[in-house]
mmCIF file of all heavy atoms in Angstrom:
data_model
loop_
_atom_site.group_PDB
_atom_site.id
_atom_site.type_symbol
_atom_site.label_atom_id
_atom_site.label_comp_id
_atom_site.label_asym_id
_atom_site.label_seq_id
_atom_site.Cartn_x
_atom_site.Cartn_y
_atom_site.Cartn_z
ATOM 1 N N MET R 893 12.765 32.346 32.964
ATOM 2 C CA MET R 893 14.092 31.784 32.854
ATOM 3 C C MET R 893 15.157 32.834 33.151
ATOM 4 O O MET R 893 16.153 32.511 33.767
ATOM 5 C CB MET R 893 14.302 31.199 31.469
ATOM 6 C CG MET R 893 13.507 29.927 31.240
ATOM 7 S SD MET R 893 13.919 29.096 29.713
ATOM 8 C CE MET R 893 15.530 28.475 30.116
ATOM 9 N N SER R 894 14.922 34.052 32.708
ATOM 10 C CA SER R 894 15.938 35.077 32.906
ATOM 11 C C SER R 894 16.127 35.429 34.375
ATOM 12 O O SER R 894 17.161 35.954 34.757
ATOM 13 C CB SER R 894 15.603 36.337 32.106
ATOM 14 O OG SER R 894 14.414 36.924 32.589
ATOM 15 N N LEU R 895 15.122 35.118 35.197
ATOM 16 C CA LEU R 895 15.229 35.402 36.630
ATOM 17 C C LEU R 895 15.684 34.187 37.426
ATOM 18 O O LEU R 895 15.760 34.233 38.651
ATOM 19 C CB LEU R 895 13.878 35.900 37.165
ATOM 20 C CG LEU R 895 13.392 37.220 36.573
ATOM 21 C CD1 LEU R 895 12.002 37.543 37.102
ATOM 22 C CD2 LEU R 895 14.351 38.346 36.881
ATOM 23 N N GLY R 896 15.961 33.086 36.731
ATOM 24 C CA GLY R 896 16.471 31.898 37.408
ATOM 25 C C GLY R 896 15.414 31.144 38.199
ATOM 26 O O GLY R 896 15.716 30.567 39.247
ATOM 27 N N SER R 897 14.202 31.126 37.707
ATOM 28 C CA SER R 897 13.122 30.416 38.393
ATOM 29 C C SER R 897 13.467 28.944 38.582
ATOM 30 O O SER R 897 14.054 28.303 37.708
ATOM 31 C CB SER R 897 11.826 30.517 37.582
ATOM 32 O OG SER R 897 10.843 29.655 38.110
ATOM 33 N N SER R 898 13.072 28.404 39.723
ATOM 34 C CA SER R 898 13.316 26.992 39.985
ATOM 35 C C SER R 898 12.462 26.099 39.084
ATOM 36 O O SER R 898 12.700 24.901 38.984
ATOM 37 C CB SER R 898 13.030 26.673 41.454
ATOM 38 O OG SER R 898 11.673 26.965 41.762
ATOM 39 N N PHE R 899 11.482 26.670 38.402
ATOM 40 C CA PHE R 899 10.617 25.904 37.515
ATOM 41 C C PHE R 899 11.113 25.868 36.069
ATOM 42 O O PHE R 899 10.593 25.104 35.254
ATOM 43 C CB PHE R 899 9.193 26.467 37.543
ATOM 44 C CG PHE R 899 8.533 26.327 38.876
ATOM 45 C CD1 PHE R 899 8.410 27.430 39.705
ATOM 46 C CD2 PHE R 899 8.057 25.108 39.311
ATOM 47 C CE1 PHE R 899 7.804 27.313 40.941
ATOM 48 C CE2 PHE R 899 7.457 24.975 40.546
ATOM 49 C CZ PHE R 899 7.334 26.082 41.374
ATOM 50 N N SER R 900 12.088 26.672 35.736
ATOM 51 C CA SER R 900 12.551 26.781 34.352
ATOM 52 C C SER R 900 12.964 25.441 33.762
ATOM 53 O O SER R 900 12.553 25.087 32.652
ATOM 54 C CB SER R 900 13.717 27.769 34.253
ATOM 55 O OG SER R 900 13.296 29.065 34.575
ATOM 56 N N ALA R 901 13.772 24.703 34.484
ATOM 57 C CA ALA R 901 14.248 23.412 33.957
ATOM 58 C C ALA R 901 13.081 22.447 33.775
ATOM 59 O O ALA R 901 13.037 21.696 32.788
ATOM 60 C CB ALA R 901 15.299 22.809 34.876
ATOM 61 N N HIS R 902 12.124 22.481 34.685
ATOM 62 C CA HIS R 902 10.958 21.593 34.578
ATOM 63 C C HIS R 902 10.131 21.931 33.337
ATOM 64 O O HIS R 902 9.677 21.033 32.623
ATOM 65 C CB HIS R 902 10.085 21.693 35.824
ATOM 66 C CG HIS R 902 10.779 21.274 37.072
ATOM 67 N ND1 HIS R 902 11.147 19.968 37.329
ATOM 68 C CD2 HIS R 902 11.190 21.988 38.136
ATOM 69 C CE1 HIS R 902 11.739 19.901 38.503
ATOM 70 N NE2 HIS R 902 11.786 21.122 39.014
ATOM 71 N N ILE R 903 9.938 23.217 33.100
ATOM 72 C CA ILE R 903 9.160 23.655 31.945
ATOM 73 C C ILE R 903 9.869 23.245 30.652
ATOM 74 O O ILE R 903 9.237 22.748 29.715
ATOM 75 C CB ILE R 903 8.906 25.172 31.997
ATOM 76 C CG1 ILE R 903 7.958 25.481 33.155
ATOM 77 C CG2 ILE R 903 8.352 25.693 30.670
ATOM 78 C CD1 ILE R 903 7.818 26.948 33.488
ATOM 79 N N CYS R 904 11.171 23.404 30.617
ATOM 80 C CA CYS R 904 11.933 23.012 29.430
ATOM 81 C C CYS R 904 11.885 21.509 29.223
ATOM 82 O O CYS R 904 11.821 21.031 28.091
ATOM 83 C CB CYS R 904 13.378 23.495 29.538
ATOM 84 S SG CYS R 904 13.533 25.287 29.422
ATOM 85 N N ARG R 905 11.886 20.740 30.290
ATOM 86 C CA ARG R 905 11.796 19.280 30.200
ATOM 87 C C ARG R 905 10.445 18.872 29.609
ATOM 88 O O ARG R 905 10.365 18.018 28.734
ATOM 89 C CB ARG R 905 11.980 18.667 31.591
ATOM 90 C CG ARG R 905 11.833 17.181 31.682
ATOM 91 C CD ARG R 905 13.093 16.456 31.242
ATOM 92 N NE ARG R 905 12.928 16.115 29.850
ATOM 93 C CZ ARG R 905 13.882 15.969 28.937
ATOM 94 N NH1 ARG R 905 15.119 16.119 29.213
ATOM 95 N NH2 ARG R 905 13.643 15.657 27.715
ATOM 96 N N VAL R 906 9.371 19.508 30.069
ATOM 97 C CA VAL R 906 8.035 19.214 29.532
ATOM 98 C C VAL R 906 7.969 19.593 28.053
ATOM 99 O O VAL R 906 7.408 18.849 27.233
ATOM 100 C CB VAL R 906 6.939 19.950 30.348
ATOM 101 C CG1 VAL R 906 5.584 19.858 29.671
ATOM 102 C CG2 VAL R 906 6.876 19.382 31.755
ATOM 103 N N CYS R 907 8.543 20.720 27.703
ATOM 104 C CA CYS R 907 8.584 21.148 26.306
ATOM 105 C C CYS R 907 9.322 20.109 25.453
ATOM 106 O O CYS R 907 8.848 19.723 24.383
ATOM 107 C CB CYS R 907 9.260 22.515 26.195
ATOM 108 S SG CYS R 907 9.386 23.120 24.496
ATOM 109 N N ALA R 908 10.459 19.634 25.918
ATOM 110 C CA ALA R 908 11.220 18.627 25.187
ATOM 111 C C ALA R 908 10.411 17.343 25.028
ATOM 112 O O ALA R 908 10.391 16.750 23.945
ATOM 113 C CB ALA R 908 12.541 18.345 25.896
ATOM 114 N N ASP R 909 9.729 16.929 26.080
ATOM 115 C CA ASP R 909 8.907 15.722 26.012
ATOM 116 C C ASP R 909 7.783 15.875 24.989
ATOM 117 O O ASP R 909 7.515 14.955 24.203
ATOM 118 C CB ASP R 909 8.325 15.389 27.385
ATOM 119 C CG ASP R 909 9.372 14.929 28.383
ATOM 120 O OD1 ASP R 909 10.510 14.595 27.975
ATOM 121 O OD2 ASP R 909 9.052 14.905 29.594
ATOM 122 N N ALA R 910 7.132 17.034 24.983
ATOM 123 C CA ALA R 910 6.051 17.287 24.025
ATOM 124 C C ALA R 910 6.579 17.302 22.594
ATOM 125 O O ALA R 910 5.957 16.720 21.685
ATOM 126 C CB ALA R 910 5.359 18.606 24.351
ATOM 127 N N CYS R 911 7.718 17.928 22.389
ATOM 128 C CA CYS R 911 8.308 17.977 21.045
ATOM 129 C C CYS R 911 8.710 16.583 20.566
ATOM 130 O O CYS R 911 8.495 16.235 19.403
ATOM 131 C CB CYS R 911 9.505 18.918 21.023
ATOM 132 S SG CYS R 911 9.065 20.658 21.179
ATOM 133 N N ASN R 912 9.273 15.787 21.449
ATOM 134 C CA ASN R 912 9.653 14.420 21.072
ATOM 135 C C ASN R 912 8.423 13.570 20.762
ATOM 136 O O ASN R 912 8.438 12.764 19.822
ATOM 137 C CB ASN R 912 10.502 13.770 22.162
ATOM 138 C CG ASN R 912 11.944 14.204 22.092
ATOM 139 O OD1 ASN R 912 12.518 14.314 21.016
ATOM 140 N ND2 ASN R 912 12.539 14.452 23.234
ATOM 141 N N ALA R 913 7.348 13.738 21.525
ATOM 142 C CA ALA R 913 6.116 12.995 21.262
ATOM 143 C C ALA R 913 5.534 13.381 19.904
ATOM 144 O O ALA R 913 5.074 12.518 19.138
ATOM 145 C CB ALA R 913 5.098 13.248 22.372
ATOM 146 N N CYS R 914 5.566 14.667 19.595
ATOM 147 C CA CYS R 914 5.086 15.135 18.300
ATOM 148 C C CYS R 914 5.944 14.548 17.178
ATOM 149 O O CYS R 914 5.423 14.065 16.173
ATOM 150 C CB CYS R 914 5.105 16.662 18.251
ATOM 151 S SG CYS R 914 4.480 17.345 16.699
ATOM 152 N N ALA R 915 7.246 14.577 17.353
ATOM 153 C CA ALA R 915 8.156 14.038 16.340
ATOM 154 C C ALA R 915 7.912 12.543 16.131
ATOM 155 O O ALA R 915 7.899 12.069 14.988
ATOM 156 C CB ALA R 915 9.602 14.287 16.741
ATOM 157 N N ASP R 916 7.694 11.807 17.210
ATOM 158 C CA ASP R 916 7.412 10.372 17.085
ATOM 159 C C ASP R 916 6.183 10.129 16.214
ATOM 160 O O ASP R 916 6.193 9.263 15.337
ATOM 161 C CB ASP R 916 7.176 9.743 18.463
ATOM 162 C CG ASP R 916 8.433 9.654 19.311
ATOM 163 O OD1 ASP R 916 9.556 9.794 18.764
ATOM 164 O OD2 ASP R 916 8.296 9.442 20.531
ATOM 165 N N GLU R 917 5.133 10.901 16.463
ATOM 166 C CA GLU R 917 3.899 10.741 15.689
ATOM 167 C C GLU R 917 4.103 11.156 14.238
ATOM 168 O O GLU R 917 3.656 10.463 13.319
ATOM 169 C CB GLU R 917 2.767 11.553 16.327
ATOM 170 C CG GLU R 917 1.419 11.288 15.730
ATOM 171 C CD GLU R 917 0.923 9.860 15.902
ATOM 172 O OE1 GLU R 917 1.280 9.191 16.900
ATOM 173 O OE2 GLU R 917 0.158 9.410 15.023
ATOM 174 N N CYS R 918 4.764 12.261 14.022
ATOM 175 C CA CYS R 918 4.999 12.734 12.653
ATOM 176 C C CYS R 918 5.868 11.762 11.867
ATOM 177 O O CYS R 918 5.663 11.566 10.667
ATOM 178 C CB CYS R 918 5.622 14.130 12.667
ATOM 179 S SG CYS R 918 4.455 15.410 13.155
ATOM 180 N N GLU R 919 6.826 11.132 12.536
ATOM 181 C CA GLU R 919 7.686 10.168 11.848
ATOM 182 C C GLU R 919 6.893 8.965 11.346
ATOM 183 O O GLU R 919 7.204 8.405 10.296
ATOM 184 C CB GLU R 919 8.828 9.730 12.763
ATOM 185 C CG GLU R 919 9.887 10.804 12.888
ATOM 186 C CD GLU R 919 10.927 10.543 13.967
ATOM 187 O OE1 GLU R 919 10.750 9.608 14.776
ATOM 188 O OE2 GLU R 919 11.919 11.298 14.001
ATOM 189 N N LYS R 920 5.846 8.580 12.065
ATOM 190 C CA LYS R 920 4.993 7.482 11.595
ATOM 191 C C LYS R 920 4.354 7.830 10.255
ATOM 192 O O LYS R 920 4.287 7.001 9.343
ATOM 193 C CB LYS R 920 3.893 7.184 12.621
ATOM 194 C CG LYS R 920 4.394 6.612 13.919
ATOM 195 C CD LYS R 920 3.238 6.449 14.897
ATOM 196 C CE LYS R 920 3.718 6.100 16.282
ATOM 197 N NZ LYS R 920 2.598 6.055 17.249
ATOM 198 N N HIS R 921 3.891 9.067 10.134
ATOM 199 C CA HIS R 921 3.259 9.512 8.894
ATOM 200 C C HIS R 921 4.306 9.748 7.808
ATOM 201 O O HIS R 921 4.036 9.503 6.633
ATOM 202 C CB HIS R 921 2.437 10.775 9.137
ATOM 203 C CG HIS R 921 1.310 10.555 10.092
ATOM 204 N ND1 HIS R 921 0.098 10.043 9.712
ATOM 205 C CD2 HIS R 921 1.227 10.749 11.439
ATOM 206 C CE1 HIS R 921 -0.696 9.938 10.769
ATOM 207 N NE2 HIS R 921 -0.037 10.363 11.827
ATOM 208 N N ALA R 922 5.475 10.194 8.196
ATOM 209 C CA ALA R 922 6.544 10.430 7.226
ATOM 210 C C ALA R 922 6.952 9.122 6.556
ATOM 211 O O ALA R 922 7.302 9.109 5.367
ATOM 212 C CB ALA R 922 7.742 11.079 7.906
ATOM 213 N N GLU R 923 6.883 8.014 7.295
ATOM 214 C CA GLU R 923 7.224 6.704 6.732
ATOM 215 C C GLU R 923 6.257 6.300 5.624
ATOM 216 O O GLU R 923 6.570 5.441 4.807
ATOM 217 C CB GLU R 923 7.232 5.647 7.837
ATOM 218 C CG GLU R 923 8.385 5.816 8.802
ATOM 219 C CD GLU R 923 8.294 4.894 10.012
ATOM 220 O OE1 GLU R 923 7.334 4.093 10.101
ATOM 221 O OE2 GLU R 923 9.189 4.985 10.872
ATOM 222 N N MET R 924 5.088 6.923 5.599
ATOM 223 C CA MET R 924 4.094 6.645 4.558
ATOM 224 C C MET R 924 4.241 7.609 3.379
ATOM 225 O O MET R 924 3.367 7.690 2.520
ATOM 226 C CB MET R 924 2.683 6.718 5.142
ATOM 227 C CG MET R 924 2.415 5.648 6.176
ATOM 228 S SD MET R 924 0.729 5.687 6.808
ATOM 229 C CE MET R 924 0.802 7.079 7.933
ATOM 230 N N GLY R 925 5.320 8.363 3.368
ATOM 231 C CA GLY R 925 5.613 9.233 2.239
ATOM 232 C C GLY R 925 5.134 10.663 2.370
ATOM 233 O O GLY R 925 5.181 11.416 1.395
ATOM 234 N N MET R 926 4.684 11.055 3.521
ATOM 235 C CA MET R 926 4.207 12.426 3.703
ATOM 236 C C MET R 926 5.388 13.322 4.084
ATOM 237 O O MET R 926 5.833 13.329 5.228
ATOM 238 C CB MET R 926 3.117 12.462 4.769
ATOM 239 C CG MET R 926 1.904 11.670 4.407
ATOM 240 S SD MET R 926 0.663 11.790 5.700
ATOM 241 C CE MET R 926 -0.556 10.657 5.075
ATOM 242 N N ASP R 927 5.883 14.040 3.092
ATOM 243 C CA ASP R 927 7.093 14.838 3.306
ATOM 244 C C ASP R 927 6.886 15.950 4.322
ATOM 245 O O ASP R 927 7.794 16.265 5.088
ATOM 246 C CB ASP R 927 7.599 15.420 1.988
ATOM 247 C CG ASP R 927 8.983 16.020 2.148
ATOM 248 O OD1 ASP R 927 9.898 15.293 2.596
ATOM 249 O OD2 ASP R 927 9.149 17.227 1.856
ATOM 250 N N HIS R 928 5.695 16.553 4.357
ATOM 251 C CA HIS R 928 5.463 17.629 5.330
ATOM 252 C C HIS R 928 5.542 17.081 6.757
ATOM 253 O O HIS R 928 5.949 17.798 7.667
ATOM 254 C CB HIS R 928 4.133 18.338 5.067
ATOM 255 C CG HIS R 928 2.922 17.481 5.223
ATOM 256 N ND1 HIS R 928 2.510 16.581 4.252
ATOM 257 C CD2 HIS R 928 2.034 17.374 6.236
ATOM 258 C CE1 HIS R 928 1.421 15.967 4.664
ATOM 259 N NE2 HIS R 928 1.102 16.428 5.870
ATOM 260 N N CYS R 929 5.221 15.810 6.959
ATOM 261 C CA CYS R 929 5.342 15.210 8.283
ATOM 262 C C CYS R 929 6.810 14.961 8.635
ATOM 263 O O CYS R 929 7.208 15.093 9.791
ATOM 264 C CB CYS R 929 4.539 13.913 8.361
ATOM 265 S SG CYS R 929 2.748 14.180 8.283
ATOM 266 N N ARG R 930 7.610 14.625 7.625
ATOM 267 C CA ARG R 930 9.050 14.475 7.850
ATOM 268 C C ARG R 930 9.654 15.804 8.278
ATOM 269 O O ARG R 930 10.451 15.871 9.216
ATOM 270 C CB ARG R 930 9.757 13.962 6.591
ATOM 271 C CG ARG R 930 11.267 13.775 6.779
ATOM 272 C CD ARG R 930 12.003 13.667 5.455
ATOM 273 N NE ARG R 930 11.798 14.799 4.569
ATOM 274 C CZ ARG R 930 12.371 15.999 4.700
ATOM 275 N NH1 ARG R 930 13.187 16.247 5.707
ATOM 276 N NH2 ARG R 930 12.134 16.967 3.840
ATOM 277 N N GLN R 931 9.229 16.872 7.621
ATOM 278 C CA GLN R 931 9.719 18.200 7.969
ATOM 279 C C GLN R 931 9.279 18.596 9.374
ATOM 280 O O GLN R 931 10.061 19.177 10.130
ATOM 281 C CB GLN R 931 9.224 19.223 6.951
ATOM 282 C CG GLN R 931 9.806 19.041 5.577
ATOM 283 C CD GLN R 931 9.175 19.952 4.541
ATOM 284 O OE1 GLN R 931 8.453 20.889 4.876
ATOM 285 N NE2 GLN R 931 9.442 19.680 3.273
ATOM 286 N N CYS R 932 8.052 18.273 9.726
ATOM 287 C CA CYS R 932 7.552 18.575 11.069
ATOM 288 C C CYS R 932 8.356 17.798 12.111
ATOM 289 O O CYS R 932 8.746 18.358 13.144
ATOM 290 C CB CYS R 932 6.070 18.235 11.175
ATOM 291 S SG CYS R 932 5.365 18.580 12.802
ATOM 292 N N ALA R 933 8.583 16.522 11.865
ATOM 293 C CA ALA R 933 9.351 15.696 12.804
ATOM 294 C C ALA R 933 10.749 16.263 13.006
ATOM 295 O O ALA R 933 11.247 16.332 14.135
ATOM 296 C CB ALA R 933 9.424 14.261 12.303
ATOM 297 N N GLU R 934 11.363 16.700 11.931
ATOM 298 C CA GLU R 934 12.708 17.282 12.017
ATOM 299 C C GLU R 934 12.690 18.560 12.861
ATOM 300 O O GLU R 934 13.559 18.753 13.728
ATOM 301 C CB GLU R 934 13.219 17.586 10.607
ATOM 302 C CG GLU R 934 14.635 18.086 10.552
ATOM 303 C CD GLU R 934 15.099 18.317 9.111
ATOM 304 O OE1 GLU R 934 14.892 17.420 8.269
ATOM 305 O OE2 GLU R 934 15.653 19.399 8.846
ATOM 306 N N ALA R 935 11.702 19.409 12.633
ATOM 307 C CA ALA R 935 11.595 20.653 13.408
ATOM 308 C C ALA R 935 11.350 20.348 14.887
ATOM 309 O O ALA R 935 11.939 20.989 15.767
ATOM 310 C CB ALA R 935 10.472 21.529 12.852
ATOM 311 N N CYS R 936 10.517 19.351 15.153
ATOM 312 C CA CYS R 936 10.233 18.990 16.546
ATOM 313 C C CYS R 936 11.472 18.424 17.227
ATOM 314 O O CYS R 936 11.719 18.705 18.407
ATOM 315 C CB CYS R 936 9.089 17.990 16.608
ATOM 316 S SG CYS R 936 7.482 18.723 16.226
ATOM 317 N N ARG R 937 12.255 17.627 16.528
ATOM 318 C CA ARG R 937 13.493 17.082 17.115
ATOM 319 C C ARG R 937 14.470 18.217 17.434
ATOM 320 O O ARG R 937 15.129 18.207 18.472
ATOM 321 C CB ARG R 937 14.160 16.067 16.180
ATOM 322 C CG ARG R 937 13.392 14.793 15.982
ATOM 323 C CD ARG R 937 13.457 13.879 17.172
ATOM 324 N NE ARG R 937 12.688 12.675 16.859
ATOM 325 C CZ ARG R 937 11.956 12.015 17.714
ATOM 326 N NH1 ARG R 937 11.878 12.408 18.964
ATOM 327 N NH2 ARG R 937 11.286 10.953 17.343
ATOM 328 N N ASN R 938 14.552 19.191 16.535
ATOM 329 C CA ASN R 938 15.431 20.337 16.786
ATOM 330 C C ASN R 938 14.958 21.123 18.009
ATOM 331 O O ASN R 938 15.765 21.520 18.858
ATOM 332 C CB ASN R 938 15.494 21.252 15.563
ATOM 333 C CG ASN R 938 16.258 20.646 14.419
ATOM 334 O OD1 ASN R 938 17.121 19.794 14.609
ATOM 335 N ND2 ASN R 938 15.941 21.066 13.213
ATOM 336 N N CYS R 939 13.658 21.329 18.118
ATOM 337 C CA CYS R 939 13.096 22.038 19.267
ATOM 338 C C CYS R 939 13.380 21.253 20.552
ATOM 339 O O CYS R 939 13.790 21.830 21.558
ATOM 340 C CB CYS R 939 11.603 22.233 19.080
ATOM 341 S SG CYS R 939 10.815 23.110 20.441
ATOM 342 N N ALA R 940 13.168 19.942 20.514
ATOM 343 C CA ALA R 940 13.409 19.103 21.696
ATOM 344 C C ALA R 940 14.864 19.191 22.134
ATOM 345 O O ALA R 940 15.152 19.286 23.333
ATOM 346 C CB ALA R 940 13.025 17.656 21.403
ATOM 347 N N LYS R 941 15.768 19.180 21.172
ATOM 348 C CA LYS R 941 17.202 19.255 21.496
ATOM 349 C C LYS R 941 17.517 20.552 22.242
ATOM 350 O O LYS R 941 18.217 20.546 23.261
ATOM 351 C CB LYS R 941 18.027 19.158 20.217
ATOM 352 C CG LYS R 941 19.526 19.217 20.436
ATOM 353 C CD LYS R 941 20.261 19.076 19.101
ATOM 354 C CE LYS R 941 21.748 19.120 19.308
ATOM 355 N NZ LYS R 941 22.306 20.451 19.210
ATOM 356 N N ILE R 942 16.990 21.652 21.764
ATOM 357 C CA ILE R 942 17.243 22.949 22.395
ATOM 358 C C ILE R 942 16.610 22.997 23.785
ATOM 359 O O ILE R 942 17.221 23.467 24.742
ATOM 360 C CB ILE R 942 16.727 24.091 21.489
ATOM 361 C CG1 ILE R 942 17.594 24.165 20.240
ATOM 362 C CG2 ILE R 942 16.751 25.423 22.236
ATOM 363 C CD1 ILE R 942 17.030 25.036 19.137
ATOM 364 N N CYS R 943 15.382 22.489 23.893
ATOM 365 C CA CYS R 943 14.726 22.473 25.211
ATOM 366 C C CYS R 943 15.490 21.602 26.200
ATOM 367 O O CYS R 943 15.625 21.951 27.370
ATOM 368 C CB CYS R 943 13.284 21.990 25.085
ATOM 369 S SG CYS R 943 12.199 23.174 24.240
ATOM 370 N N GLU R 944 15.999 20.459 25.733
ATOM 371 C CA GLU R 944 16.786 19.591 26.610
ATOM 372 C C GLU R 944 18.061 20.285 27.083
ATOM 373 O O GLU R 944 18.444 20.162 28.239
ATOM 374 C CB GLU R 944 17.116 18.283 25.876
ATOM 375 C CG GLU R 944 15.917 17.382 25.723
ATOM 376 C CD GLU R 944 16.116 16.243 24.737
ATOM 377 O OE1 GLU R 944 17.202 16.145 24.126
ATOM 378 O OE2 GLU R 944 15.168 15.454 24.580
ATOM 379 N N GLU R 945 18.682 21.031 26.174
ATOM 380 C CA GLU R 945 19.883 21.786 26.564
ATOM 381 C C GLU R 945 19.544 22.834 27.625
ATOM 382 O O GLU R 945 20.302 23.035 28.570
ATOM 383 C CB GLU R 945 20.499 22.454 25.343
ATOM 384 C CG GLU R 945 21.162 21.483 24.380
ATOM 385 C CD GLU R 945 21.588 22.134 23.074
ATOM 386 O OE1 GLU R 945 21.439 23.373 22.908
ATOM 387 O OE2 GLU R 945 22.067 21.403 22.194
ATOM 388 N N MET R 946 18.406 23.494 27.470
ATOM 389 C CA MET R 946 18.023 24.524 28.435
ATOM 390 C C MET R 946 17.574 23.901 29.762
ATOM 391 O O MET R 946 17.653 24.551 30.800
ATOM 392 C CB MET R 946 16.900 25.390 27.865
ATOM 393 C CG MET R 946 17.381 26.243 26.709
ATOM 394 S SD MET R 946 16.227 27.519 26.092
ATOM 395 C CE MET R 946 14.652 26.803 26.182
ATOM 396 N N ALA R 947 17.117 22.656 29.729
ATOM 397 C CA ALA R 947 16.673 21.979 30.950
ATOM 398 C C ALA R 947 17.847 21.469 31.783
ATOM 399 O O ALA R 947 17.678 21.178 32.959
ATOM 400 C CB ALA R 947 15.749 20.818 30.604
ATOM 401 N N THR R 948 18.998 21.377 31.160
ATOM 402 C CA THR R 948 20.174 20.861 31.855
ATOM 403 C C THR R 948 20.884 21.990 32.587
ATOM 404 O O THR R 948 21.271 22.980 31.973
ATOM 405 C CB THR R 948 21.159 20.221 30.846
ATOM 406 O OG1 THR R 948 20.455 19.221 30.115
ATOM 407 C CG2 THR R 948 22.336 19.603 31.543
ATOM 408 N N PRO R 949 21.048 21.858 33.910
ATOM 409 C CA PRO R 949 21.731 22.911 34.661
ATOM 410 C C PRO R 949 23.177 23.078 34.187
ATOM 411 O O PRO R 949 23.818 22.119 33.806
ATOM 412 C CB PRO R 949 21.710 22.414 36.112
ATOM 413 C CG PRO R 949 20.832 21.230 36.142
ATOM 414 C CD PRO R 949 20.626 20.753 34.738
ATOM 415 N N VAL R 950 23.633 24.290 34.228
ATOM 416 C CA VAL R 950 25.000 24.610 33.773
ATOM 417 C C VAL R 950 25.979 24.390 34.896
ATOM 418 O O VAL R 950 25.764 24.577 36.023
ATOM 419 C CB VAL R 950 25.079 26.054 33.272
ATOM 420 C CG1 VAL R 950 26.491 26.402 32.861
ATOM 421 C CG2 VAL R 950 24.126 26.267 32.129
#
């Protein structure tokens, strides 16, 4: 990323997609009262948000 690779945005997009998929799954378990899954989903959403920001060209 620091060298401006043309793949950087793509890699960040894949990272965001993976984090969102993880959060979706964890939220299903969090609805059943598993607090550690709620915490995981929250962390994954935060990670996805940052990756999405990095995937967006300035």
Side-chain angles (χ1 to χ4, degrees):
M893 289 188 71
S894 65
L895 296 176
S897 170
S898 60
F899 295 104
S900 295
H902 298 291
I903 292 169
C904 291
R905 176 80 265 151
V906 170
C907 179
D909 291 345
C911 290
N912 279 319
C914 182
D916 290 344
E917 189 63 30
C918 288
E919 285 170 350
K920 293 176 190 175
H921 297 276
E923 290 172 1
M924 295 183 283
M926 298 181 185
D927 191 56
H928 64 281
C929 292
R930 181 197 57 76
Q931 293 173 12
C932 180
E934 185 178 312
C936 288
R937 292 286 180 217
N938 289 335
C939 180
K941 180 179 181 269
I942 291 168
C943 290
E944 288 167 359
E945 289 171 3
M946 291 189 322
T948 304
V950 178

